[in-house]
């Protein structure tokens, strides 16, 4: 049986990390994306070792529109590697937790 995949956009956030662990616990492979994603190498290692699933990191700045196509192509390559070249071109679940919370700004 093929394992499901969850893509988390904004994977460096506390919410993104918590969700990645929740879905990994439920036996999903994980794709974490965000800016400066190399900062999540230890989290990736933790998830893979604790939950025995695959976890990939993908650099993605959602505000850089010229790189969106490259991002989608990278996700497709990862999905094929997870699923043995089967034609799954979309993750089973996509979660976006990008944004900036300015609760203390007076604007």
């Amino acid at each position: 049986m093929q394992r499901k995949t969850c893509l988390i956009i904004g994977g460096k956030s506390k919410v993104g990390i918590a969700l990645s662990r929740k879905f990994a616990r439920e036996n999903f492979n994980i794709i974490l994306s965000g800016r400066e994603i190399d900062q999540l190498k230890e989290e990736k290692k933790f998830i893979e070792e604790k939950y025995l699933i695959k976890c990939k990191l993908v650099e993605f700045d959602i505000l850089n529109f010229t790189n969106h196509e490259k991002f989608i192509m990278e996700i497709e390559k990862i999905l094929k590697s997870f699923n043995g070249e089967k034609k799954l071109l979309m993750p089973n679940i996509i979660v976006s937790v990008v944004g900036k919370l300015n609760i203390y700004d007076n604007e």
Side-chain angles (χ1 to χ4, degrees):
M1 184 173 152
Q2 182 172 294
R3 182 173 282 151
K4 293 181 179 179
T5 300
C6 179
L7 165 62
I8 301 175
I9 302 170
K12 281 183 15 187
S13 70
K14 289 180 182 180
V15 173
I17 291 170
L19 286 170
S20 69
R21 292 180 181 191
K22 168 68 174 150
F23 280 104
R25 194 175 316 118
E26 298 295 324
N27 207 31
F28 279 74
N29 286 325
I30 305 297
I31 304 171
L32 290 172
S33 68
R35 294 179 297 159
E36 301 170 7
I37 204 74
D38 284 343
Q39 296 171 5
L40 282 177
K41 286 182 179 178
E42 288 298 316
E43 182 65 25
K44 173 190 183 302
K45 182 179 175 184
F46 172 81
I47 289 171
E48 289 180 328
E49 291 175 359
K50 180 166 179 72
Y51 301 108
L52 303 175
I53 55 92
K54 295 177 185 175
C55 180
K56 298 287 185 178
L57 305 177
V58 179
E59 189 82 24
F60 181 54
D61 181 349
I62 200 163
L63 297 177
N64 185 348
F65 300 112
T66 60
N67 285 330
H68 283 205
E69 185 176 352
K70 178 182 173 190
F71 172 72
I72 291 168
M73 290 170 54
E74 184 66 26
I75 297 302
E76 288 178 352
K77 282 196 306 190
I78 290 169
L79 289 169
K80 287 178 182 178
S81 76
F82 282 173
N83 299 307
E85 295 297 321
K86 296 207 176 12
K87 293 292 181 183
L88 179 65
L89 299 179
M90 289 288 289
N92 299 92
I93 296 177
I94 300 172
V95 180
S96 177
V97 290
V98 296
K100 182 177 178 186
L101 183 59
N102 292 323
I103 60 173
Y104 299 109
D105 287 352
N106 292 324
E107 294 180 23

